Amino acid sequence: MTEWLGLPPLAAAHGGAIDNMIGWIHIFMLVLFVGWGGFLLYTLVRFRQSRNPVADYRGVTSHNSTYLEVGVAVVEGVLLIGFAIPLWAARVDARPPESEALVVQVTGEQFAWNVHYPGPDRVFGRTDIKLLDLQSNPLGVDRSDPAAKDDVTTVNQLFLPVNRPIIVRLRSKDVIHSFGVPEFRVKQDAVPGLTIPIWFIPTITTADMRTRLGNPAFEYEIACAQLCGLGHARMRGFVTVQSAEEFQTWMDEAVKEQAAAADDPFR
Ligand SMILES: [Cu+2]
């Protein structure tokens, strides 16, 4: 019902509820705009100077405006209590259990998105700021930690399986960034010093979306949605949504490659 808003194509399970809410807000705001605009025009005509040469010091005695304002407050209350709060509760409080989800850490920095997968053991390896190297180890993963041996990191490339809950733990190294993927209807600030979880279920693979849109170059894009410095505009990450099998193949390859690279004494 929200095609008239021209939103980006939808590719996440919860997105319909968000679009619904955006639709209702637009409808209510249109009613308010027309109502207040009409009222303004009415007062301009009704209280024009030629009809009211002398000011009326008694003012308005009817209570209509009070009733109207109560009406507006009720509508806004419905938006807040009926739509916004339940949606917030479902989106933020009711996170799926980590055992059923793919948990991935995404760390913003000026000006890139660092992605960290825990690997098959589902445990994030230790990271140490002393090991941090912007070229070879931007997250400072300590490969000597057993839990880190199978960890996978990427820069600006987030690979996700379709139809599975994804929990992104959002962090930042430096300033406030914002993780926004319009097709997933998610946008959340990444705040230094905090780890903020967000979750969603991607429903359409990148390949299917390309066919659907007739655009072979389509990519889901992580746009940094907070002005975070001079390079903000080039802080673009890409999300590749794959079938469960394709994702597993990619993950197995990446685990092997990165573990081998970490073991290479000549690196
Ligand atoms: Cu940024």
Side-chain angles (χ1 to χ4, degrees):
M1 64 157 267
T2 46
E3 292 77 24
W4 53 279
L5 287 170
L7 294 168
L10 175 62
H14 71 275
I18 303 259
D19 289 3
N20 223 356
M21 163 119 191
I22 295 177
W24 279 113
I25 289 178
H26 276 79
I27 291 167
F28 281 138
M29 292 308 123
L30 183 69
V31 169
L32 274 188
F33 174 73
V34 170
W36 285 125
F39 181 70
L40 175 68
L41 292 178
Y42 167 77
T43 54
L44 285 178
V45 175
R46 170 71 180 74
F47 302 108
R48 64 187 185 277
Q49 197 192 16
S50 60
R51 189 169 150 183
N52 305 272
V54 180
D56 174 0
Y57 295 103
R58 262 186 323 123
V60 177
T61 48
S62 104
H63 288 291
N64 288 340
S65 65
T66 314
Y67 300 145
L68 268 174
E69 288 193 31
V70 170
V72 169
V74 166
V75 168
E76 284 172 358
V78 168
L79 271 182
L80 189 65
I81 297 163
F83 290 85
I85 293 177
L87 195 52
W88 177 262
R91 290 300 307 141
V92 179
D93 284 345
R95 232 177 304 139
E98 296 205 344
S99 54
E100 284 167 27
L102 175 84
V103 184
V104 53
Q105 226 155 247
V106 175
T107 307
E109 73 173 49
Q110 289 173 316
F111 299 96
W113 296 102
N114 294 285
V115 179
H116 186 175
Y117 296 91
D121 68 355
R122 307 178 72 111
V123 180
F124 287 95
R126 215 171 65 83
T127 57
D128 187 338
I129 199 160
K130 288 196 210 86
L131 298 168
L132 199 139
D133 178 283
L134 280 187
Q135 290 309 314
S136 64
N137 193 357
L139 287 166
V141 178
D142 180 0
R143 294 280 177 180
S144 68
D145 173 16
K149 293 242 183 284
D150 62 349
D151 285 19
V152 168
T153 65
T154 68
V155 179
N156 290 332
Q157 295 294 338
L158 180 58
F159 287 82
L160 299 177
V162 75
N163 292 330
R164 182 165 161 205
I166 311 292
I167 298 178
V168 174
R169 293 196 196 154
L170 256 190
R171 314 190 308 169
S172 170
K173 279 190 194 174
D174 37 39
V175 300
I176 297 178
H177 299 277
S178 180
F179 177 93
V181 185
E183 291 83 1
F184 298 161
R185 304 293 192 269
V186 293
K187 186 178 283 173
Q188 169 64 52
D189 279 6
V191 182
L194 295 182
T195 299
I196 303 174
I198 50 171
W199 74 280
F200 51 90
I201 305 175
T203 50
I204 303 174
T205 62
T206 300
D208 284 350
M209 191 55 106
R210 286 178 179 169
T211 328
R212 218 176 265 210
L213 299 176
N215 173 9
F218 172 84
E219 298 268 19
Y220 292 114
E221 191 178 317
I222 310 168
C224 183
Q226 284 284 12
L227 190 53
C228 57
L230 281 177
H232 165 69
R234 62 184 157 83
M235 187 164 170
R236 301 165 69 200
F238 297 95
V239 187
T240 307
V241 181
Q242 298 172 304
S243 70
E245 300 77 44
E246 286 169 326
F247 175 76
Q248 199 52 52
T249 312
W250 172 81
M251 179 57 88
D252 294 344
E253 265 313 294
V255 169
K256 246 188 275 165
E257 242 170 63
Q258 298 199 7
D263 284 342
D264 183 355
F266 300 109
R267 192 166 60 116

